[in-house]
Amino acid sequence: MAAATTLWGMGRRGQAAVPELTVALADADPRLRGAAAMALEGMGPAAAGAVPALAKALSDRDPGVRQSAAKALGAIGPAARAALPALVRILRRGSWPEAEEAVRRIRGLDPGAVVELGPEEP
């Protein structure tokens, strides 16, 4: 927990820890999973290697972890494009401001822009 919190404060300078934080996203402790996602959010685009694990964390049983994962994907931006299908599935189920903001950032839309979900998946 302390390491993840420290890495969050380091931002992009902590990018060498992306692989370890990616592993921490699957830890049994939801507090550690959430802290890992927050640290990845702080790294922004430098955390692009964690996109698959963050997309998986959008389905975490802990709502705080899901929220932190969505924020991290938004902070990564266009490099998180592979997570768009998971984010769109979430938005089809209902309103989730963090997921909407992540989609805007990944797609390069202006803040507050309408998020088009596109056609239904088969």
Side-chain angles (χ1 to χ4, degrees):
M1 290 290 298
T5 302
T6 300
L7 287 164
W8 173 72
M10 291 177 64
R12 193 181 163 97
R13 292 175 292 143
Q15 73 185 46
V18 169
E20 289 81 5
L21 291 168
T22 300
V23 170
L25 288 171
D27 192 85
D29 184 347
R31 294 172 301 156
L32 179 55
R33 294 192 309 271
M38 287 175 57
L40 292 163
E41 175 190 1
M43 293 176 192
V51 168
L54 287 165
K56 184 175 180 181
L58 293 171
S59 300
D60 196 278
R61 62 187 172 275
D62 184 277
V65 174
R66 293 191 304 263
Q67 180 182 39
S68 294
K71 288 181 175 183
L73 290 165
I76 292 169
R81 186 163 292 282
L84 281 174
L87 289 162
V88 168
R89 278 193 298 276
I90 287 167
L91 292 174
R92 286 192 192 288
R93 286 184 259 162
S95 177
W96 189 5
E98 295 82 9
E100 287 182 24
E101 184 57 28
V103 170
R104 283 187 196 97
R105 288 175 157 207
I106 292 167
R107 290 182 176 166
L109 302 174
D110 291 330
V114 174
V115 174
E116 298 291 335
L117 300 181
E120 286 282 337
E121 294 178 22

